[in-house]
Amino acid sequence: MTGSNIISLKQKVSKNCIGNKAQNLIALMQIKKINIPESWVIPWDWHERYIEEDDTVHENLSEVLKLNLDMSKTYAVRSSSSFEDSSFHSFAGLFKSILHVKGYQDLIEAVIQVWESVQTENVEHYLETLSISSENLKMAVIIQEMVTPVYSGVLFSNNPMTGLHEIVIEAVLGEGTALVQDGVTPDRWISRSGLWVAKPDKPQMPEEVAKKVLQGSKAVMGKIKNPVDLEWVWDGSDVYWVQMREITTLKDLKVYSNKLSKDMMPGMIHPLIWSINVPLINKVWLGILEEIVGNLPIEPEDLTKSFFHRSYFNMSAIGQVFTRVGFPSEGLEMMMGVVPKEEGTPAFKPSIKMLPLLPRLFGFILDKWRFERKIKTQLLDLNEEMKQFSPYPDKDISLEQQISEISNLYGVVQKIVYFNVLTPILVTMYVRMLERKLRKLGVDLLEFDLLENFPEADQYQPNIALAKLHNKLICLINDRPQLKKGDFNLSDVKGSDFEKDFNQFFENFGHISDNSNNFMAAPWRENPEMVLQMIYDYQAVDRGERDRIRFEDLPVKGINKLFTRMFFNRARKFTLYRDEVSKGYMYGYGLFRPYFLRLAEDLVKERWLDSRDDIFYLRWSEIQKLVKGGGISSIYQKIETRKREMQEYRDIELPEIIYGDNPPPLFSHFKKKMQGIPTSQGYFKGKIKIIGGTADFGKVEPDDIIVIPYSDVGWTPLFARAGAVIAESGGLLSHSSIIAREYQIPAVVSVAGCMNLKDGQKANVNGFTGEISLLEEE
């Protein structure tokens, strides 16, 4: 380009001369069945000539404008810089836009205003925060035919604060400048899975117009896969799309949920348990997922994160798997409790992108159909490997050897975890298949005897063994009058047949504990007297005689009977395999306890720990480093800090959803909660300052929460000192929201009554959900 012409955006143009905003308009123009106003772009080499004070710029520009544009029409003149609206930076609201420009002289003046907006103090400050040289900032200019608006606004393809799969529409009467400059609170419509989940009580804009905007956006989202925001105008008959940009705030946003994880890994989790369990289990789950969909850009530690020493699942990482196999992310959001299920669960919709996965999927199904072979061969080998480890490990070995033994144990348990994850899934699958067959025969699964004539399953049921031991113990007490009922110990049963059976019970079930996924829990073998009392106290539950339906009683014949028998046999077999695998896992995983406690006792002797239980407050990697002689000086501080944290977090009310990697501030008591529209992400806790106008600017101290009625350009310096913003009016494109996003501080707008709050009131601002908690004095 030589600067001799301007470019119609109906044609594709190299990205290196017109900026992202113009390039986005070109992408919009390629989409059928949507309306885009006629648009042109002045490439940025014109701006370079202007900076160099080329005397011919005005004359040349006047000529090309007269040649390409209809001077009887009115135009909007907007910026399109080299960094603006990119995947990494938005520069929202920093450059000049001029509307209702008519005639080539006014057009030239408007173009110059856009060029000169590059050199403002706000732009220079923003460039400095991003470490971008002003020399690299180039400015192209968009000229677009004006559409006379009846209503206008913005549409977000995803919630711009939380990333949820919901379409957010904001609308105002007349021009969209009311959103940015005038502090107007817009109508707000939210659609999820095709249904309105939020709409204004007294809308200015008719619902039919909102539906037209929504419908048009679906055509855009069918072609543009990244989350975007779209500026639109309705002229009384048609919707026009005038701008599009990527929602940069969602680029790296992670969303965490404890909806399922609090059941799978309940309660507070000590650092050592976390550092063993998470890689142990997540690596297996990730491996299984990759068997189905191929390599994923996820590490095992990405699947979960610890907040307040509790487990949260990373929905963003898991969502990548869901979308890869064709399950909508909205379904994941419902499953994780982010949105209510009553709004309807989206259907599974395999897409053409799933076709390459079909060979892997069929291979996975075939491999798992043959899974019994792996159980019979590999599980036997794993049981042999496990025999090298004892519940009573040798104490006369070095610290380095102990670390090596724990690493070896980890490797064996890792292999068992694979079977412990898959076998229960296969049991559930076969039982469901059998249940479907039984239902067609009019038989309830609960009335069916799945384990008829299957004594092999009894060996894994402690209750059956407890019942037998209880009867033997009662007989022994009756035979030995000197034993007072309920007042005896293990020495009293020494030498009896009961003792042999008791020891065998310990051999079979001594590994059981209160929590099979937390080796802090002591197994039964550590408290034989407790187990003896449990045997004495055991009471069998009399459920009465029930005649269950046997397989041979089923009214089924021919090929149907063949398939029913197949699922019946597989459900029985895999129930047995599940119990066998579960026992191997609980036994092997439980061995971490004696091995780590042995190590802890030696670390206490070395005076690196105060007590053996302190080891549970260290991560496995820290323990390994400690044994190698590193990190000794800070180890006590880490332990004490984590003890204090776990005590502090013990009784807190946990947030079910956390946005981003930084946990929200904690508070135990609050006076009141207020709700607004979240427009800039983040969490902040601080003191409120009520700002009614410029006269109040002086009372704002660094990191105050500023409460304002609205804001315009003159309020911008205030935001540099603020920790968060609460505004009485506004929307996602209001000035206060735009500037808060540029300064990366939380903002909540449209908060009714916020100007009635008092200076000094402590509050917590949640820029993801729009919730404001007014805190009590500590």
Side-chain angles (χ1 to χ4, degrees):
M1 288 290 162
T2 63
S4 61
N5 211 338
I6 63 175
I7 304 166
S8 169
L9 292 183
K10 288 181 179 179
Q11 64 188 79
K12 292 186 177 180
V13 186
S14 171
K15 285 186 180 180
N16 64 2
C17 68
I18 64 171
N20 296 300
K21 188 180 289 186
Q23 202 69 41
N24 289 341
L25 272 174
I26 290 175
L28 272 178
M29 287 186 167
Q30 309 307 308
I31 301 171
K32 297 178 181 179
K33 297 182 179 179
I34 64 170
N35 302 311
I36 314 293
E38 286 289 328
S39 304
W40 297 262
V41 62
I42 302 173
W44 56 49
D45 56 352
W46 285 86
H47 179 221
E48 292 169 356
R49 290 174 56 194
Y50 178 76
I51 294 173
E52 294 166 1
E53 300 183 354
D54 186 338
D55 294 336
T56 64
V57 168
H58 284 70
E59 182 180 348
N60 291 161
L61 189 56
S62 175
E63 290 175 3
V64 296
L65 291 177
K66 289 178 181 179
L67 183 64
N68 289 276
L69 275 60
D70 183 345
M71 290 302 158
S72 67
K73 292 184 177 180
T74 305
Y75 296 93
V77 180
R78 295 188 174 95
S79 62
S80 183
S81 76
S82 50
F83 295 114
E84 193 175 6
D85 291 356
S86 70
S87 299
F88 305 100
H89 314 299
S90 69
F91 283 80
L94 290 179
F95 300 122
K96 196 80 173 175
S97 291
I98 304 100
L99 305 181
H100 302 291
V101 183
K102 190 174 182 180
Y104 72 89
Q105 288 290 0
D106 286 348
L107 279 169
I108 291 172
E109 182 60 33
V111 170
I112 291 172
Q113 287 185 53
V114 173
W115 285 339
E116 291 185 344
S117 67
V118 167
Q119 299 173 332
T120 64
E121 187 176 323
N122 286 339
V123 171
E124 289 176 1
H125 176 71
Y126 189 65
L127 290 170
E128 186 178 327
T129 60
L130 298 176
S131 300
I132 296 175
S133 170
S134 59
E135 295 178 0
N136 295 325
L137 179 60
K138 301 176 181 180
M139 180 61 75
V141 180
I142 294 169
I143 299 177
Q144 188 176 70
E145 284 189 6
M146 282 291 299
V147 177
T148 302
V150 178
Y151 301 104
S152 56
V154 62
L155 177 145
F156 296 85
S157 63
N158 291 63
N159 186 306
M161 296 300 106
T162 64
L164 293 181
H165 288 74
E166 56 189 20
I167 296 174
V168 180
I169 300 171
E170 290 192 344
V172 293
L173 185 64
E175 292 181 357
T177 52
L179 277 170
V180 180
Q181 299 172 5
D182 301 337
V184 172
T185 299
D187 283 356
R188 185 176 174 87
W189 307 71
I190 301 177
S191 171
R192 190 182 300 134
S193 300
L195 302 174
W196 293 120
V197 296
K199 54 186 180 180
D201 294 331
K202 297 179 180 179
Q204 298 180 74
M205 183 177 74
E207 185 171 340
E208 285 305 310
V209 178
K211 287 179 179 178
K212 286 185 178 182
V213 174
L214 183 65
Q215 191 62 37
S217 73
K218 291 179 179 177
V220 176
M221 289 183 285
K223 296 292 184 180
I224 309 294
K225 301 305 180 183
N226 292 332
V228 292
D229 79 59
L230 298 151
E231 291 186 26
W232 57 270
V233 173
W234 188 66
D235 68 351
S237 59
D238 295 306
V239 175
Y240 287 84
W241 303 92
V242 297
Q243 287 196 69
M244 177 180 74
R245 63 183 67 86
E246 186 172 352
I247 304 175
T248 56
T249 54
L250 302 181
K251 188 103 183 137
D252 299 308
L253 178 66
K254 295 176 183 175
V255 183
Y256 298 92
S257 167
N258 72 351
K259 174 76 173 178
L260 299 180
S261 59
K262 65 185 178 184
D263 295 325
M264 298 172 70
M265 298 178 70
M268 300 191 81
I269 305 170
H270 285 69
L272 177 57
I273 307 301
W274 179 269
S275 65
I276 293 292
N277 287 18
V278 168
L280 192 69
I281 297 169
N282 286 8
K283 185 176 181 181
V284 169
W285 272 110
L286 187 57
I288 292 170
L289 293 173
E290 290 187 332
E291 283 186 63
I292 301 172
V293 302
N295 291 334
L296 290 164
I298 305 170
E299 296 298 326
E301 57 269 22
D302 293 337
L303 294 176
T304 51
K305 186 176 177 69
S306 176
F307 291 100
F308 313 114
H309 294 281
R310 270 89 164 188
S311 176
Y312 281 76
F313 282 149
N314 182 350
M315 288 176 53
S316 308
I318 299 172
Q320 294 182 45
V321 182
F322 269 58
T323 52
R324 184 81 73 91
V325 298
F327 192 86
S329 293
E330 299 97 306
L332 176 65
E333 289 164 3
M334 290 180 183
M335 186 176 76
M336 292 293 194
V338 183
V339 297
K341 287 186 177 179
E342 56 265 23
E343 290 172 7
T345 304
F348 177 79
K349 296 178 182 177
S351 65
I352 195 168
K353 290 186 176 181
M354 191 180 174
L355 289 177
L357 299 178
L358 291 179
R360 300 188 69 97
L361 185 59
F362 289 139
F364 178 82
I365 293 171
L366 182 61
D367 180 69
K368 300 309 169 272
W369 185 260
R370 299 170 176 171
F371 198 66
E372 184 178 2
R373 300 178 186 179
K374 286 187 178 181
I375 293 176
K376 287 183 175 179
T377 56
Q378 296 183 26
L379 193 60
L380 188 64
D381 294 338
L382 286 173
N383 289 335
E384 285 300 312
E385 283 189 68
M386 191 59 69
K387 288 181 180 177
Q388 65 181 297
F389 305 101
S390 166
Y392 310 100
D394 182 8
K395 295 191 175 184
D396 296 325
I397 63 172
S398 68
L399 293 174
E400 291 75 13
Q401 287 174 305
Q402 292 183 46
I403 293 291
S404 177
E405 281 191 348
I406 293 173
S407 298
N408 292 337
L409 173 62
Y410 183 96
V412 178
V413 174
Q414 179 93 80
K415 298 174 189 175
I416 297 177
V417 170
Y418 177 74
F419 290 93
N420 196 52
V421 168
L422 270 175
T423 311
I425 293 174
L426 293 174
V427 170
T428 301
M429 182 181 72
Y430 292 132
V431 169
R432 290 288 172 263
M433 290 176 174
L434 175 62
E435 183 180 22
R436 201 170 292 124
K437 291 287 184 183
L438 294 175
R439 196 181 299 123
K440 289 180 180 180
L441 299 171
V443 176
D444 190 329
L445 180 66
L446 297 176
E447 300 297 325
F448 183 72
D449 193 352
L450 178 63
L451 301 179
E452 62 170 295
N453 300 321
F454 203 42
E456 298 95 325
D458 292 350
Q459 62 184 305
Y460 301 111
Q461 306 304 318
N463 279 354
I464 294 174
L466 281 170
K468 292 178 180 177
L469 280 173
H470 173 77
N471 293 335
K472 285 195 174 185
L473 181 58
I474 297 303
C475 289
L476 179 64
I477 291 172
N478 291 335
D479 290 342
R480 297 185 180 182
Q482 71 273 23
L483 293 179
K484 294 179 180 179
K485 292 183 179 181
D487 185 19
F488 53 85
N489 54 43
L490 283 173
S491 62
D492 295 321
V493 299
K494 196 169 182 64
S496 64
D497 289 339
F498 172 82
E499 183 189 25
K500 294 177 184 177
D501 292 337
F502 182 83
N503 291 337
Q504 185 60 51
F505 178 84
F506 251 57
E507 183 72 23
N508 294 336
F509 301 107
H511 60 279
I512 293 177
S513 70
D514 293 342
N515 189 338
S516 60
N517 289 310
N518 185 340
F519 56 83
M520 286 184 71
W524 288 358
R525 75 167 71 91
E526 289 187 21
N527 197 343
E529 296 288 351
M530 179 274 293
V531 175
L532 181 63
Q533 188 64 43
M534 183 170 60
I535 292 169
Y536 176 76
D537 293 336
Y538 181 80
Q539 291 184 347
V541 178
D542 183 11
R543 294 187 173 88
E545 291 296 325
R546 292 179 64 188
D547 291 329
R548 291 181 175 270
I549 300 171
R550 300 177 303 162
F551 180 81
E552 296 304 327
D553 298 331
L554 294 176
V556 60
K557 296 179 180 179
I559 190 78
N560 202 16
K561 184 172 184 178
L562 184 67
F563 277 104
T564 305
R565 183 183 292 279
M566 178 178 67
F567 294 132
F568 170 67
N569 287 335
R570 281 187 171 260
R572 283 160 61 89
K573 283 182 184 178
F574 275 83
T575 297
L576 182 65
Y577 293 146
R578 178 198 61 194
D579 293 344
E580 182 182 358
V581 168
S582 179
K583 178 181 178 180
Y585 167 74
M586 285 193 291
Y587 176 82
Y589 175 82
L591 290 179
F592 282 122
R593 177 178 171 83
Y595 278 79
F596 273 112
L597 288 180
R598 175 190 63 176
L599 178 62
E601 288 169 358
D602 285 350
L603 294 177
V604 171
K605 291 176 184 176
E606 296 287 339
R607 297 188 177 181
W608 292 345
L609 299 180
D610 285 336
S611 70
R612 72 171 195 170
D613 286 346
D614 283 353
I615 200 168
F616 293 112
Y617 293 91
L618 298 175
R619 301 186 185 100
W620 172 221
S621 59
E622 293 169 343
I623 295 169
Q624 291 172 294
K625 184 179 178 181
L626 181 63
V627 169
K628 290 179 181 178
I632 297 173
S633 59
S634 63
I635 213 72
Y636 286 105
Q637 183 179 356
K638 284 180 180 178
I639 292 170
E640 289 307 309
T641 298
R642 290 167 186 170
K643 283 182 177 180
R644 187 170 59 252
E645 284 177 351
M646 295 192 77
Q647 182 63 36
E648 179 185 350
Y649 300 156
R650 189 169 302 279
D651 299 318
I652 64 167
E653 182 179 343
L654 290 174
E656 197 165 75
I657 306 297
I658 292 177
Y659 299 96
D661 285 319
N662 297 318
L666 293 177
F667 48 89
S668 54
H669 302 288
F670 59 89
K671 295 179 181 178
K672 178 183 176 183
K673 287 190 176 181
M674 305 177 79
Q675 185 67 42
I677 298 172
T679 59
S680 183
Q681 298 168 336
Y683 302 104
F684 192 77
K685 182 180 177 181
K687 289 184 178 180
I688 279 174
K689 290 292 173 64
I690 308 299
I691 311 300
T694 54
D696 295 323
F697 282 13
K699 68 181 181 181
V700 177
E701 298 176 3
D703 293 333
D704 277 344
I705 299 172
I706 58 172
V707 179
I708 58 179
Y710 64 93
S711 75
D712 60 20
V713 176
W715 296 57
T716 303
L718 195 63
F719 288 69
R721 283 178 277 167
V725 180
I726 300 172
E728 194 170 40
S729 61
L732 283 158
L733 286 190
S734 63
H735 182 269
S736 55
S737 303
I738 292 171
I739 301 303
R741 290 196 289 271
E742 296 302 332
Y743 280 95
Q744 298 181 358
I745 59 175
V748 180
V749 304
S750 293
V751 183
C754 65
M755 293 300 291
N756 295 324
L757 297 173
K758 303 297 182 185
D759 282 348
Q761 166 71 59
K762 287 187 177 180
N764 182 72
V765 178
N766 188 327
F768 294 101
T769 65
E771 186 176 83
I772 300 162
S773 300
L774 305 179
L775 309 180
E776 292 181 356
E777 290 298 324
E778 297 174 356

